[in-house]
Amino acid sequence: MIRSGTAYSTHHAAEKAAEIACRRALDHAGLGRSSVVLVFATVDHAQKYPHVLKKVKQMTGARCVIGASAYGVLTESSEIERRPGISVMVLESDQLDWNTFLVSDLQESSFQAGRNVAKAIRGQDSLPRLMLTFPDTFSFQSASF
């Protein structure tokens, strides 16, 4: 069974926004904790991204945090632009296994980044059935990747 919940916060303080979004997402999912969290934060919180990730892990107990930053974030009920926002999806499942990796050289070479992703995937016990990527759309060359 897969259980999930989503929520967002537009609180101006990054850590408080992460706390609110996580608490609401866990409540919506009927969970006390979550092993996987997707989190998206606007650039308004850029100075506090490390604190946001720490708060998300603390609030959810997640071993796997995935996400990105952007000018705006989308939720199932609204789009947050030109103001602070954090959206969160918590996931818990006894059927799914998650692995994460970071490829940091997208701006230099999308081709080399693709090779690095292939190496990361080959090193896993089984091939993934789904891969989520969150590239910088201004520097990412999908055909080269």
Side-chain angles (χ1 to χ4, degrees):
M1 172 190 268
I2 301 171
R3 294 174 70 181
S4 67
T6 61
Y8 69 92
S9 174
T10 57
H11 197 282
H12 67 280
E15 290 175 85
K16 186 66 174 177
E19 180 181 331
I20 291 167
C22 288
R23 183 171 291 122
R24 289 177 181 165
L26 288 167
D27 287 348
H28 290 159
L31 296 170
R33 56 178 281 115
S34 171
S35 58
V36 179
V37 178
L38 276 75
V39 59
F40 299 92
T42 62
V43 295
D44 304 87
H45 295 303
Q47 297 293 323
K48 297 286 187 166
Y49 286 158
H51 301 283
V52 167
L53 295 177
K54 184 177 179 179
K55 181 59 78 172
V56 167
K57 283 187 164 196
Q58 176 189 22
M59 293 295 299
T60 64
R63 70 167 184 80
C64 182
V65 177
I66 306 163
S69 61
Y71 175 73
V73 294
L74 298 172
T75 73
E76 68 273 10
S77 60
S78 68
E79 184 174 348
I80 303 167
E81 288 186 353
R82 289 180 240 162
R83 60 190 170 128
I86 294 178
S87 64
V88 171
M89 174 186 276
V90 295
L91 295 155
E92 186 62 46
S93 173
D94 55 2
Q95 301 168 332
L96 300 175
D97 186 31
W98 297 80
N99 294 300
T100 62
F101 55 88
L102 175 65
V103 177
S104 59
D105 57 354
L106 275 176
Q107 289 180 326
E108 288 78 30
S109 171
S110 293
F111 177 77
Q112 186 58 46
R115 292 183 72 161
N116 292 343
V117 168
K119 286 178 190 175
I121 290 172
R122 276 192 223 114
Q124 296 178 4
D125 294 335
S126 62
L127 290 178
R129 295 187 179 180
L130 172 68
M131 184 174 80
L132 304 174
T133 59
F134 304 108
D136 175 357
T137 57
F138 293 110
S139 61
F140 181 67
Q141 302 296 315
S142 60
S144 297
F145 182 75

